[in-house]
Amino acid sequence: MSDRVAIIGVGWSGYRPITPELSYKELMYEAALRAYNDAGVDPRRDIESFVTVAEDFHEGTSIFDEYTPDQLGAVLKPMHTISGDGLHGLATAFMLVKTGQFSIVAVEGHSKASNILSMPGVVAYAQDPVLNRPLRINTHFIAGMEMNRYLVDSDTTQQQCAQVVVKNKRNALDNPSAPYGAKLTLEDVLSGPPLSWPLGVRETAEHADGAIVLVIASEEKALALSDRPIWILGCGWSNDSPGLENRDWGQAHYVKGAAQLAYRQAGINSPFQAIDFAEVDDLYAYKELQTLEALGIFGHGEAGQVTEEGLTHKDGSLPVNVSGGSLGMGNLLDANGLARALEVVLQLRGNAGSRQLEDVNIGLAQSWRGVPTASGAVAIFGN
Amino acid sequence: MSMRKVAVIGAGMTKFVRRAQETGKELSWQATHMALESCELTMDDIEAVCLGTAPDAFDGVHMNGEYLSDGAGAWRKPYMRSYVGGGTGVFVPIQGWYHVASGMFDLVLVVAEEKMSSYFPHAQGAFLTIFDHTTERPLKPNLLWIFALEMNRYMQTYGISKEDIAQVAVKNKRNAADHPSALLGDADITVEDVLNSEVLAWPVNRLDVSPVSDGAVALVLAAEHVAKRLTDKPVWIEGVGWNLDTAYWTNRDLAYPRYVEYAARMAYDMAGIKEPRKQINIVEPYDPFDYKELHHLEGLLLADRGQAPQMVVDGITQRDGDMPVCPSGGLLGVGNPIAAAGLMKVAEIFWQLRGEAGARQVPGQPKRGLAQAWGDLMQVGTVVIMGR
Amino acid sequence: MSDKISNYPGTSLSEKDIRDGKVLSIHDEMPGGFAWDTGIAIGRYLAGLREGMILGSTCVHCRKTVVPPRTVCEWCFRPMDDFVPLQDTGTVNTYSLCYVTWDVKRIKEPETPAVIDLDGASPLHGILHKLGDVDPQQIAIGMRVQAVWKPENEREGAITDILYFKPIEE
Amino acid sequence: MSLMERDPNAPSVWRGEMQVTNRYTFGIAGERFFRSIKNEGRILGTHCKSCDRMYVPAAAFCERCLSQLDEWVDVGIVGEVVTFTHLYVNFDGSRRQEPETIVFIKMGDGGIIHRLILNDNEHVSIGMQAQAVFKPPAEREGSILDISHFELLLN
């Protein structure tokens, strides 16, 4: 086993509601080229293994992994696909390096959500085909039901959830990669149309296109190639029951399991003390609050209140989703977690431009695979 | 830096059937449950789960890995699904290998499932959408095309006859007669039967092809210190390799699977194997079509280019030959529930090396075996080498 | 097999079992509409086909001309240098005579898919298409062929603007 | 990132369908679970002895310990509202004029996801009791739709 593992290069393309000028391959290529350039590596010579995260039905192609190698420089190299979130892909690269067999690995994730003409139908195809799908209920209902139960269990209010939208969309205005920034009031959010009560349309992330590539390296390579490697201190991932009937509707156990694994590696006992900032799932606004509690950063029922108090704001003591989150950057499908890891890396390097946080040394990224799943991952980074 | 050793300590599999009543979750559970029982472990012992399944279109569930997770034992555990098309079945144990070799986990479940019969009206329909959506799909290609195109190129390049290739189908279907899970075992099949079966896509006849199937297979992987505690017959994963060629499959020579060679070289290097033809005792190469077994033996460097057919003709690859190939019966005989079929090959090597393969046991107490799968658009090779 | 395994699970059904309702089943279909962005390279490829031209792309560094065109060379990872018009003639690299549809129903006259290595592209660089105007039994690897195009006013910028490739005498 | 020139007149999208058509069997547990709904109007669970959990809908295996479950139990047709939502979009994403109410009704340690039909002036809240309303036996096909909906059970 090697010692530490670092991110030595990042590249991205997008994120935008549509990307009509580029094919998905060209979008991936743009992100890859930037990442390799950033890391100072030649993929044909230096990168030893490649990982893409993708799902067939997001691409409109069965066995999509066929189409991954060329535009990443991975032809005739060990490359595989993980049907998971970008942070699952990152964890895979982390493990590959930890085996000692690979010293440089690239991870790619992308979204061409704008090319999917029937998104609700595609998402619904993830419902259990016998137990749930015959009911023909729009899959957002799962978020509505979960939010309802979470609000009751945790004494959280709709206003507190709406506050997440105000914060994240405001943060997005400082992120040139975020297409959905806006200056909204609490009233703007609360007066928006309902989607799946108590969940509103404005509390739901819209889709975006984009691609992200990260270059991961062993400690030895990282120190040789990079003057500012960002260390992966821990990663974890976990699943709760896939069955809607077997789940705990109030709590995100998939976050807890993933966090425990990541904290154990990073040696973190008190996440609120240890972590300087976090990028967490907010595909639906309540998810940010539920997730922060499941991560153990705040106690059960506290996340809403601290959000109102401004603790998670950009200038608060533990900024959350300074990038703008998914509410601001858009839902990038399988690439969501990589967008979050990317933001953490940029912040830890001091490369985050006008949204740069001061004095940050440890950041956390977390992702969820969206309805109807109970699956997600966590990664912790340090500079 | 020395790598952590990883062992296979348990295996389970369902029957491979044309249409299973079980849901995909239930098939996964049956195989997983059996694998745990085989090494007397419970879910409390398992630290992480790896799943392999091929296109979502088969099971007919978007994010099929998530759907199958409970059957694979993933409840509140770290769980991931890997995907390299048809190569997936031999990739999942590689995924399990890096879970353990990384030092992250000591005991990992590896599960592969496929329920092809859920695609309706015919499983082949799922393959219509594997081609490039803009430049190829409008031609309405079906899966048989690319195999037929590759087989023809292979035959033409080396002057190989259909008769020689048909011997592979005969050997594997005969071998499968001894496999309790097999769908298409046939102890009496002849070369004539294969050659006289209906032409699907010349040069491919019906009996050159493995059957569409449903099924699941599971393994338990353990780190060295745990494996030694749990069993006195661990089977070590000595080398792994995988490799992906360009998606532009009409821009390369289909006569030789260089991606298999690259994957094999990676695995041989890791296993310290210098002379594979001497050091590998049993081979389970991927055989969804009979010519593929030959193609892959060449890519694995176990036969010279164009010379694999002669090995079959000479009986070298029979179960009692010098280098038994597909003693399980392979995909041609046991069946081809894609990802599960690949993992079945790894399970076969496990059972063979432990001397637990029953009627299929190859003589001579083999020490080392190799399983290989292939997938995508004539594009990916996955290789696992195991030894006692 | 392992001594502990006495029984292999798995319940086999016949098509009739399901059709007759001996076991319960349900059908579904995913609404799967896509509008894939063609991008720089494939956009031009389709535009070329509309004009009756097959475009490849060339990498000066690797001295390769490939088809269909792409913006990056997969071998050296440099940007491709330019589009290159190829000839619409080529050589049959391999072919099949396919007697079944995708759902394995018999057809009388075989479909004749082939990989055609195009003149002007690097050796062994071709595209998937079909052969036509030929007795299927006369098709051979190495045969010289040429594209038969749809009439200009029917072309739409698609690979099907080429109807098929037919043998030529040279 | 390209040296190659974009053609502004080139077709910018290629449209196509990803054909995914399926037929699902109900599985070993699903077969019995839905047969009993169809034939008897009864909702069955299976009990895991080692985890002491009652799976509803009945499952063939315990997802926690992977034991085989063969203790089948009638769990009745009434349960508590664990959570609910008023949904303003249809299956295809189009907007609804009036929302539909979706509930999760607890039965055993699991439950049923379904629609809740509210009578005039009725309001649902978490913790209320609701009961399954079945289709007439002649219209049942062996499906989750054999339960027409749930309705509140008012004391």
Side-chain angles (χ1 to χ4, degrees):
Chain A
M1 276 176 295
S2 74
D3 306 323
R4 295 189 296 171
V5 179
I7 294 180
I8 61 163
V10 295
W12 67 100
S13 175
Y15 323 116
R16 281 171 286 144
I18 56 172
T19 45
E21 74 286 10
L22 297 175
S23 69
Y24 72 90
K25 287 186 183 177
E26 290 160 0
L27 194 71
M28 288 165 70
Y29 171 54
E30 192 169 278
L33 195 57
R34 287 181 171 148
Y36 303 157
N37 190 52
D38 184 43
V41 297
D42 171 351
R44 302 301 298 151
R45 184 192 60 206
D46 303 321
I47 301 182
E48 294 162 340
S49 189
F50 297 79
V51 179
T52 274
V53 289
E55 288 283 2
D56 281 0
F57 293 172
H58 288 156
E59 313 290 342
T61 294
S62 278
I63 321 190
F64 175 74
D65 73 287
E66 293 165 356
Y67 297 98
T68 56
D70 300 272
Q71 59 277 17
L72 298 176
V75 169
L76 285 175
K77 299 253 193 172
M79 164 150 210
H80 73 288
T81 289
I82 292 291
S83 303
D85 175 76
L87 291 183
H88 288 107
L90 181 76
T92 297
F94 179 77
M95 286 189 277
L96 288 172
V97 173
K98 282 276 201 185
T99 64
Q101 286 288 312
F102 303 93
S103 54
I104 304 182
V105 180
V107 186
E108 187 271 348
H110 62 274
S111 160
K112 264 283 192 181
S114 69
N115 290 2
I116 306 174
L117 302 180
S118 50
M119 187 66 85
V122 169
V123 174
Y125 231 65
Q127 294 183 26
D128 187 295
V130 174
L131 294 177
N132 307 129
R133 209 195 296 153
L135 292 165
R136 289 291 183 264
I137 305 174
N138 187 291
T139 319
H140 283 305
F141 86 91
I142 296 165
M145 296 216 310
E146 191 182 62
M147 176 174 174
N148 191 12
R149 184 75 204 195
Y150 166 69
L151 295 187
V152 169
D153 282 1
S154 63
D155 274 331
T156 302
T157 65
Q158 282 177 272
Q159 282 75 11
Q160 289 167 340
C161 296
Q163 194 65 52
V164 171
V165 183
V166 173
K167 169 176 71 70
N168 292 1
K169 285 194 176 268
R170 175 69 192 77
N171 285 346
L173 291 173
D174 288 329
N175 183 353
S177 301
Y180 298 114
K183 207 168 173 180
L184 299 179
T185 64
L186 204 55
E187 186 50 33
D188 292 333
V189 179
L190 290 168
S191 65
L195 178 65
S196 187
W197 182 93
L199 178 70
V201 169
R202 290 178 187 164
E203 295 173 288
T204 305
E206 295 182 66
H207 287 95
D209 292 356
I212 298 141
V213 173
L214 305 181
V215 181
I216 319 298
S218 66
E219 179 161 8
E220 192 188 339
K221 284 280 182 194
L223 293 173
L225 287 168
S226 177
D227 51 9
R228 49 182 182 183
I230 300 302
W231 303 102
I232 303 173
L233 305 180
C235 31
W237 59 102
S238 183
N239 271 57
D240 199 358
S241 175
L244 300 179
E245 296 83 359
N246 293 324
R247 264 181 211 177
D248 182 332
W249 283 88
Q251 297 192 54
H253 285 283
Y254 62 92
V255 179
K256 289 186 183 180
Q260 278 164 12
L261 188 53
Y263 291 156
R264 197 161 69 220
Q265 294 161 50
I268 289 175
N269 296 315
S270 168
F272 180 75
Q273 305 295 330
I275 291 161
D276 296 323
F277 68 105
E279 285 283 325
V280 307
D281 161 45
D282 63 335
L283 290 174
Y284 303 100
Y286 76 92
K287 274 285 177 189
E288 175 169 317
L289 305 178
Q290 186 197 38
T291 300
L292 288 169
E293 292 169 9
L295 286 167
I297 293 177
F298 301 114
H300 187 52
E302 286 177 11
Q305 200 186 332
V306 301
T307 301
E308 274 182 330
E309 290 165 359
L311 205 143
T312 60
H313 286 211
K314 196 168 68 178
D315 50 5
S317 57
L318 202 153
V320 175
N321 291 336
V322 182
S323 65
S326 291
L327 289 163
M329 295 191 290
N331 177 352
L332 296 164
L333 301 177
D334 311 303
N336 281 325
L338 287 182
R340 305 320 192 79
L342 169 64
E343 175 69 12
V344 174
V345 170
L346 293 177
Q347 290 286 354
L348 292 175
R349 282 177 170 186
N351 282 354
S354 62
R355 65 185 189 284
Q356 180 64 50
L357 300 168
E358 283 175 27
D359 299 327
V360 285
N361 297 303
I362 293 187
L364 177 147
Q366 181 272 341
S367 64
W368 169 52
R369 301 206 65 209
V371 286
T373 79
S375 168
V378 169
I380 299 163
F381 306 89
N383 56 13
Chain B
M1 208 159 44
S2 74
M3 207 173 67
R4 266 166 54 110
K5 281 179 78 176
V6 182
V8 182
I9 61 166
M13 78 182 283
T14 67
K15 290 192 189 83
F16 286 0
V17 298
R18 174 64 186 86
R19 271 169 225 86
Q21 180 174 4
E22 285 83 356
T23 61
K25 289 170 187 276
E26 289 171 344
L27 288 170
S28 303
W29 159 68
Q30 288 173 336
T32 305
H33 188 246
M34 192 195 275
L36 286 171
E37 285 205 325
S38 77
C39 51
E40 294 170 2
L41 292 176
T42 70
M43 280 313 300
D44 289 341
D45 302 310
I46 298 298
E47 297 169 5
V49 181
C50 301
L51 179 101
T53 180
D56 286 6
F58 286 140
D59 272 86
V61 182
H62 176 40
M63 302 200 277
N64 191 28
E66 303 297 335
Y67 167 72
L68 295 172
S69 63
D70 49 357
W75 183 76
R76 296 200 185 165
K77 293 199 192 299
Y79 168 77
M80 269 195 237
R81 168 191 175 195
S82 60
Y83 193 24
V84 281
T88 300
V90 175
F91 192 82
V92 230
I94 296 177
Q95 192 193 6
W97 164 81
Y98 64 65
H99 273 63
V100 178
S102 65
M104 291 271 284
F105 307 100
D106 287 340
L107 270 167
V108 171
L109 261 172
V110 166
V111 185
E113 178 272 1
E114 212 73 60
K115 189 170 181 193
M116 298 174 77
S117 67
S118 293
Y119 199 93
F120 192 82
H122 196 287
Q124 296 298 346
F127 291 116
L128 297 175
T129 51
I130 71 170
F131 295 90
D132 185 279
H133 41 61
T134 307
T135 61
E136 291 176 340
R137 246 184 261 173
L139 298 168
K140 302 195 177 3
N142 72 48
L143 185 71
L144 287 166
W145 285 17
I146 52 171
F147 287 102
L149 293 169
E150 189 182 61
M151 179 170 172
N152 193 10
R153 182 79 193 170
Y154 176 57
M155 289 167 60
Q156 175 86 12
T157 302
Y158 300 114
I160 297 165
S161 70
K162 271 174 62 70
E163 286 76 5
D164 288 354
I165 290 175
Q167 295 216 25
V168 172
V170 171
K171 167 178 69 70
N172 292 1
K173 287 174 199 286
R174 286 185 181 178
N175 282 348
D178 295 323
H179 201 306
S181 283
L183 173 58
L184 269 197
D186 183 347
D188 303 318
I189 192 171
T190 65
V191 167
E192 287 67 39
D193 293 335
V194 179
L195 295 175
N196 294 333
S197 63
E198 78 181 297
V199 179
L200 298 178
W202 187 88
V204 174
N205 293 30
R206 181 173 294 281
L207 291 178
D208 291 314
V209 190
S210 61
V212 163
S213 329
D214 298 346
V217 179
L219 302 179
V220 181
L221 265 50
E224 182 173 14
H225 63 286
V226 176
K228 284 183 168 161
R229 199 176 70 221
L230 292 173
T231 176
D232 49 10
K233 289 199 290 185
V235 171
W236 303 103
I237 295 180
E238 297 182 338
V240 299
W242 67 104
N243 199 273
L244 183 61
D245 207 338
T246 168
Y248 299 102
W249 64 280
T250 58
N251 284 194
R252 51 185 150 88
D253 194 347
L254 298 175
Y256 182 71
R258 58 184 174 187
Y259 45 89
V260 172
E261 179 187 328
Y262 283 43
R265 286 188 185 279
M266 176 177 164
Y268 293 146
D269 279 352
M270 201 183 292
I273 290 176
K274 300 273 190 294
E275 294 180 283
R277 293 180 200 188
K278 288 188 185 149
Q279 292 173 273
I280 303 284
N281 307 129
I282 327 169
V283 198
E284 280 280 343
Y286 204 58
D287 62 327
F289 289 64
D290 43 14
Y291 81 93
K292 276 289 198 191
E293 172 171 314
L294 306 170
H295 212 230
H296 292 150
L297 285 172
E298 294 171 17
L300 291 166
L301 308 173
L302 298 172
D304 292 339
R305 292 191 193 191
Q307 296 304 308
Q310 197 56 44
M311 287 173 67
V312 188
V313 174
D314 293 345
I316 293 169
T317 61
Q318 293 289 342
R319 204 180 269 151
D320 56 0
D322 286 350
M323 185 191 286
V325 175
C326 289
S328 66
L331 279 53
L332 287 160
V334 186
N336 187 11
I338 313 222
L343 194 56
M344 177 276 286
K345 289 178 167 289
V346 181
E348 179 71 8
I349 301 286
F350 170 72
W351 285 316
Q352 290 283 356
L353 295 182
R354 280 168 58 121
E356 294 176 353
R360 302 189 313 285
Q361 185 64 49
V362 306
Q365 298 182 323
K367 280 200 154 47
R368 187 179 285 118
L370 178 152
Q372 174 258 334
W374 155 99
D376 294 359
L377 290 167
M378 316 304 191
Q379 193 181 357
V380 65
T382 50
V383 174
V384 167
I385 297 170
M386 299 195 292
R388 287 195 278 132
Chain C
M1 199 139 306
S2 174
D3 312 335
K4 297 189 182 77
I5 302 174
S6 53
N7 174 41
Y8 288 81
T11 311
S12 181
L13 299 172
S14 69
E15 180 61 28
K16 194 168 178 301
D17 291 337
I18 302 178
R19 210 177 297 140
D20 294 353
K22 197 181 133 196
V23 301
L24 296 170
S25 66
I26 189 170
H27 290 254
D28 207 352
E29 179 172 352
M30 186 173 79
F34 284 81
W36 295 284
D37 295 319
T38 56
I40 299 165
I42 296 300
R44 270 292 279 277
Y45 184 58
L46 298 181
L49 290 167
R50 199 170 52 196
E51 305 303 318
M53 187 196 299
I54 304 172
L55 286 174
S57 60
T58 191
C59 173
V60 172
H61 182 258
C62 296
R63 291 185 294 166
K64 262 182 192 283
T65 299
V66 303
V67 60
R70 40 260 200 194
T71 52
V72 58
C73 173
E74 66 268 25
W75 297 109
C76 64
F77 209 65
R78 292 163 195 242
M80 283 280 180
D81 291 278
D82 210 346
F83 291 101
V84 184
L86 308 176
Q87 278 135 269
D88 70 351
T89 53
T91 306
V92 173
N93 171 301
T94 181
Y95 69 95
S96 169
L97 310 179
C98 188
Y99 291 92
V100 289
T101 59
W102 66 268
D103 54 350
V104 203
K105 292 201 176 73
R106 293 298 295 178
I107 43 177
K108 246 200 158 107
E109 285 305 310
E111 285 195 286
T112 49
V115 175
I116 295 136
D117 294 342
L118 292 171
D119 294 342
S122 296
L124 290 173
H125 282 62
I127 58 170
L128 173 72
H129 219 291
K130 293 183 194 179
L131 302 174
D133 272 353
V134 61
D135 174 358
Q137 304 308 324
Q138 299 302 314
I139 299 171
I141 288 175
M143 186 180 246
R144 296 284 297 154
V145 292
Q146 180 167 28
V148 175
W149 295 86
K150 275 186 183 167
E152 201 173 336
N153 57 1
E154 290 176 23
R155 289 186 215 139
E156 48 181 352
I159 189 64
T160 47
D161 289 345
I162 298 172
L163 291 166
Y164 50 82
F165 282 76
K166 68 168 187 189
I168 47 171
E169 301 285 334
E170 282 176 329
Chain D
M1 309 252 165
S2 173
L3 297 177
M4 304 197 316
E5 219 175 302
R6 204 179 143 68
D7 177 353
N9 297 315
S12 62
V13 295
W14 180 261
R15 286 172 188 273
E17 282 285 319
M18 185 185 193
Q19 185 191 327
V20 180
T21 52
N22 298 99
R23 181 181 67 189
Y24 310 92
T25 58
F26 285 31
I28 301 301
E31 186 70 26
R32 181 159 168 194
F33 177 77
F34 283 105
R35 290 272 181 204
S36 76
I37 285 181
K38 177 175 186 266
N39 298 336
E40 302 161 39
R42 296 200 307 160
I43 297 174
L44 300 184
T46 46
H47 183 243
C48 176
K49 284 186 208 66
S50 33
C51 300
D52 192 23
R53 282 187 71 82
M54 179 73 78
Y55 284 88
V56 182
F61 60 92
C62 172
E63 66 177 9
R64 301 188 172 200
C65 69
L66 295 194
S67 299
Q68 182 168 344
L69 305 183
D70 37 29
E71 186 189 334
W72 289 71
V73 182
D74 183 338
V75 295
I77 60 167
V78 175
E80 185 185 301
V81 175
V82 176
T83 183
F84 67 95
T85 183
H86 303 301
L87 182 63
Y88 286 79
V89 279
N90 289 309
F91 190 65
D92 64 3
S94 60
R95 205 96 200 131
R96 296 175 67 90
Q97 286 301 315
E98 290 299 320
E100 57 177 347
T101 301
I102 314 299
V103 281
F104 176 54
I105 305 296
K106 183 176 160 84
M107 293 176 164
D109 294 303
I112 303 281
I113 303 268
H114 221 293
R115 292 188 168 85
L116 181 76
I117 305 282
L118 294 166
N119 294 314
D120 291 347
N121 303 323
E122 265 185 9
H123 293 282
V124 56
S125 60
I126 287 172
M128 289 174 122
Q129 298 285 305
Q131 117 177 341
V133 178
F134 290 84
K135 281 184 180 166
E139 292 175 25
R140 293 184 209 152
E141 299 173 327
S143 155
I144 193 69
L145 299 172
D146 289 351
I147 298 174
S148 144
H149 60 274
F150 275 74
E151 63 184 13
L152 292 178
L153 205 62
L154 299 172
N155 305 323

